[in-house]
Amino acid sequence: MCAAISASRSPDVVVVGAGLIGLVTAWRAARRGLAVTVVAETAEGAASPVAAGMLTPATEAAFGEEALMRFGVLSRDRYPAFVAELEDDSGLPAGYRPHGTLQVAFDADDLARLAHLSELRARLGLRTERLTGRECRRLEPMLAPAVRGGYLAPDDHSVDPRRLLSALYAAAERRGAVGVRDRVREVVLDGDRVRGVRLASGGELAAGQVVLAAGVGTPAIGGLPPGVVPPLRPVKGQLLRLRTTPGEPPLVERTVRGLVRGSPVYLVPRDDGEIVLGATQEEQGHDTRLTAGGLWEVLRDAHELVPGVSELEVAETCVGLRPGSPDNEPLLGPTAVPGLHLAAGHFRHGVLFTPATGDAMAEALTTGALPGYARRFAATRALEAVGGTGTGGDPDQWT
Amino acid sequence: MCAAISASRSPDVVVVGAGLIGLVTAWRAARRGLAVTVVAETAEGAASPVAAGMLTPATEAAFGEEALMRFGVLSRDRYPAFVAELEDDSGLPAGYRPHGTLQVAFDADDLARLAHLSELRARLGLRTERLTGRECRRLEPMLAPAVRGGYLAPDDHSVDPRRLLSALYAAAERRGAVGVRDRVREVVLDGDRVRGVRLASGGELAAGQVVLAAGVGTPAIGGLPPGVVPPLRPVKGQLLRLRTTPGEPPLVERTVRGLVRGSPVYLVPRDDGEIVLGATQEEQGHDTRLTAGGLWEVLRDAHELVPGVSELEVAETCVGLRPGSPDNEPLLGPTAVPGLHLAAGHFRHGVLFTPATGDAMAEALTTGALPGYARRFAATRALEAVGGTGTGGDPDQWT
């Protein structure tokens, strides 16, 4: 859909950002008949093309994040219909794998922490099944003999975010959205109201509504009155993509998440034999360096859990920056500036939240208000900053 | 020096291969007045541009490799004059760092193994100084507190193989050598004698003498009578190149080699802040895949020794194939085919052996015979295969 800006008609909506959140907003809004233009540049540290694509609210359930998990379950449960519509509109596969997730513990302490979380899962109504080490290895024979036990989450699936991006782009285009490769220098106001955006290449793109969905780059967009866009913390993730030798069976059949001496790690398989290993969680500003320590941490834990990863070829190493809002929850819908919306701050849940965010944003763009299930995440809510989780690991997730 | 093949004059010598061994042969032969043409293609798995560049016979001394170590010491001691001549002829820096090497032990067993090797070093007349853990950390403050002790080898230095390659190329050209980017399909014989080489692009390059210096690719060159070129084992090495943050002090001042729970690892610093971490030693045929296990092994041991590596950016990951002869010693000089020479099989000592090999080959090309110090490595010697060292580590080096 990339094209020169047409002078023929101003769009109803300009979406700034072409990650999963920007594109799903564009597609869902276009399906409701809005004329949408998406403006994006290739951003270093963009989270969407780097994400592993786990749709795993049950195995990610964390104390203090119940509201996030409920939104996650809602979004996860929309995935089958969402993927069907998306593949229909785009003609492209979304890379959805409804094969469940196995969460395992490396030692007795790890198992105790997982068991503690199972109480929370039960409270949230999330299905998981307790398994012995032997039962885990029966499901995934390549697991290390040391694995003590775990939980099968039959409803936690995965999707390939790169395929999802391509499909969303094609589907949005098929529904009439227009893409522009440029950088938005600033939002242009007319009095208190949004009038459009000014592009780095010069020129203004007029629109009655503007959605900012540029991940960690969102607060840097110019022209915004103070306080309208809260600060977003870049939370760095380092990952590796491994390649199964052609003709060899896949190393794991389903997503395997593990806790290895307190440190979380995951292996997410794709249909084409790729396995994504991840991920670090580091808070040190806008830093996209691939580091020796980041690779080492991920490889160490993955190797403990599934020693056979050692034999696989490294196809790619990547770094992405997750956008963390002050309270770690997404920022959705209208802001204090009439016509200006946010769809940002999805932190480590961007892929999971994609269907629900798309629907919520389309609703906000057509009716002016978020639907009930997304109202908690209103961009205009009072925000209190939470503490960063520090470098490495994700202790909050497990306690 | 890359140029179309000139029809004006046949060279005296064609060198097949433009790694360190091929280029040093070309340069030293050209300095003796021979007309030399170097033919090479970019080979996947080429060892020279991947090598760390340690000139460390003292800290590499291994029982059963005394002759190799003597040749290594001889070559190492030629380095200062060699580099001076090379920089003079090429006008380029060779990246020589005469800062010594610190060899350290991670635990008591590692220290016992190093102490055992010190008897061998004494017998070979190689200078090393025993240091306590505290003394090691005084020299290299970033060493882990766990380091038990080690040895300082004040005469074991390093060079940057990539700079060395560029300088050798320029120096050879300055001395009249000609480079041709092509693949040698086969050696052409005239009766029993060499007549030249046939190129993949078609055409023949006539020369009275031909030197095969194509690393692990040498035995695959066509046209050779059986038995003239012994088999060469590709011994895979996986390495990482890290980058020091600009403005930060270097992590280590000198080459640090370590034994970590029996597993060898090294950190080789460069003047520009790069640090090379290496290396695996794997025998599995012509395999140039970067693997998760290879990276993990190197990162694990480097991290144990110098935890600060974690903070450094990964600039590059690389794989090279060391050419191992049946007895792990190089194959130099005349073969059974008159006019045909070998300069191959340098295994993990190619950089160290570069000056001595260049001199020995130039001598063989001008006089027909290797000098005394290189005669043990005559390409025509009776060869007995030694066992492979297996995947991972290099146990032979330490026992």
Side-chain angles (χ1 to χ4, degrees), chain B residues 365-383:
Chain B
L365 289 166
T366 45
T367 70
L370 287 167
Y373 62 83
R375 224 161 274 161
R376 177 191 168 95
F377 307 120
T380 48
R381 71 183 177 271
L383 281 166

Side-chain angles (χ1 to χ4, degrees), chain A:
Chain A
M1 66 178 167
C2 244
I5 303 165
S6 160
S8 58
R9 182 193 159 192
S10 278
D12 302 315
V13 181
V14 166
V15 176
V16 183
L20 290 172
I21 299 302
L23 289 176
V24 77
T25 298
W27 175 49
R28 300 309 274 184
R31 276 178 70 98
R32 298 209 188 189
L34 294 172
V36 182
T37 293
V38 180
V39 186
E41 57 171 355
T42 306
E44 203 193 17
S48 295
V50 167
M54 292 185 291
L55 310 173
T56 53
T59 51
E60 231 161 320
F63 291 101
E65 296 192 355
E66 287 83 350
L68 275 181
M69 289 306 105
R70 283 199 189 88
F71 191 62
V73 169
L74 180 143
S75 197
R76 180 193 72 183
D77 293 346
R78 290 188 183 190
Y79 248 99
F82 171 83
V83 163
E85 278 184 357
L86 179 63
E87 294 186 341
D88 201 42
D89 265 15
S90 67
L92 294 174
Y96 183 59
R97 281 173 58 100
H99 299 340
T101 291
L102 179 63
Q103 185 170 34
V104 298
F106 187 72
D107 66 20
D109 286 348
D110 296 327
L111 192 56
R113 294 174 85 176
L114 292 190
H116 185 51
L117 285 169
S118 73
E119 299 160 24
L120 173 64
R121 288 197 286 260
R123 204 162 74 217
L124 293 168
L126 294 162
R127 269 209 305 166
T128 57
E129 184 190 339
R130 172 73 190 262
L131 302 178
T132 64
R134 186 184 298 252
E135 287 165 336
C136 290
R137 280 183 289 278
R138 200 171 299 142
L139 285 177
E140 293 293 350
M142 298 303 283
L143 281 173
V147 164
R148 287 300 184 95
Y151 290 82
L152 179 67
D155 307 317
D156 273 8
H157 303 314
S158 74
V159 71
D160 181 343
R162 293 179 178 183
R163 287 186 186 273
L164 200 55
L165 280 168
S166 300
L168 283 170
Y169 197 88
E173 188 182 31
R174 200 75 71 85
R175 290 285 177 169
V178 174
V180 174
R181 237 181 258 287
D182 208 328
R183 193 168 62 77
V184 168
R185 189 197 304 278
E186 58 185 10
V187 171
V188 182
L189 304 182
D190 192 353
D192 282 350
R193 236 208 107 70
V194 149
R195 196 181 69 195
V197 297
R198 186 162 293 116
L199 302 176
S201 63
E204 191 183 316
L205 198 51
Q209 299 196 91
V210 171
V211 179
L212 303 184
V216 294
T218 307
I221 295 168
L224 298 164
V228 169
V229 177
L232 293 174
R233 304 165 357 257
V235 183
K236 176 176 167 182
Q238 303 192 50
L239 306 89
L240 294 102
R241 291 178 139 77
L242 307 185
R243 189 183 288 141
T244 307
T245 310
E248 293 286 312
L251 201 62
V252 292
E253 289 284 350
R254 56 181 66 67
T255 296
V256 174
R257 308 187 61 152
L259 198 53
V260 179
R261 298 188 189 98
S263 177
V265 67
Y266 57 73
L267 295 84
V268 181
R270 307 259 190 254
D271 284 339
D272 64 1
E274 183 183 81
I275 295 183
V276 183
L277 304 188
T280 65
Q281 190 147 304
E282 307 160 71
E283 307 216 5
Q284 35 193 309
H286 204 98
D287 166 22
T288 56
R289 296 176 314 135
L290 181 77
T291 65
L295 289 188
W296 172 73
E297 180 187 321
V298 172
L299 288 169
R300 176 197 62 193
D301 297 337
H303 182 267
E304 289 280 35
L305 222 53
V306 182
V309 296
S310 290
E311 302 305 317
L312 300 192
E313 183 173 5
V314 177
E316 194 182 335
T317 52
C318 3
V319 177
L321 299 176
R322 311 172 186 91
S325 74
D327 60 6
N328 282 346
E329 299 188 1
L331 299 155
L332 302 181
T335 66
V337 174
L340 182 70
H341 296 255
L342 291 186
H346 286 66
F347 198 18
R348 54 173 202 268
H349 304 297
V351 188
L352 173 60
F353 291 171
T354 289
T357 297
D359 290 342
M361 292 305 299
E363 178 90 5
L365 289 166
T366 46
T367 71
L370 286 168
Y373 61 82
R375 225 161 271 160
R376 176 190 169 97
F377 307 121
T380 48
R381 70 182 178 271
L383 281 166
E384 260 181 81
V386 297
T389 54
T391 44
D394 177 16
D396 283 355
Q397 187 181 342
W398 304 99
T399 52

Side-chain angles (χ1 to χ4, degrees), chain B residues 68-86:
Chain B
L68 276 181
M69 290 305 107
R70 285 200 187 88
F71 192 61
V73 170
L74 179 144
S75 196
R76 179 192 73 183
D77 293 346
R78 290 187 184 191
Y79 248 99
F82 172 82
V83 163
E85 279 184 355
L86 179 62

Side-chain angles (χ1 to χ4, degrees), chain B residues 121-164:
Chain B
R121 288 197 284 260
R123 204 163 72 217
L124 292 168
L126 294 163
R127 268 208 305 165
T128 57
E129 185 190 340
R130 172 73 190 260
L131 302 178
T132 64
R134 185 183 299 252
E135 287 165 337
C136 290
R137 280 183 290 277
R138 199 171 300 142
L139 286 177
E140 294 293 349
M142 298 303 282
L143 280 173
V147 163
R148 288 299 185 95
Y151 290 83
L152 179 66
D155 307 317
D156 273 8
H157 303 313
S158 74
V159 72
D160 181 342
R162 293 178 178 184
R163 288 187 186 273
L164 200 55

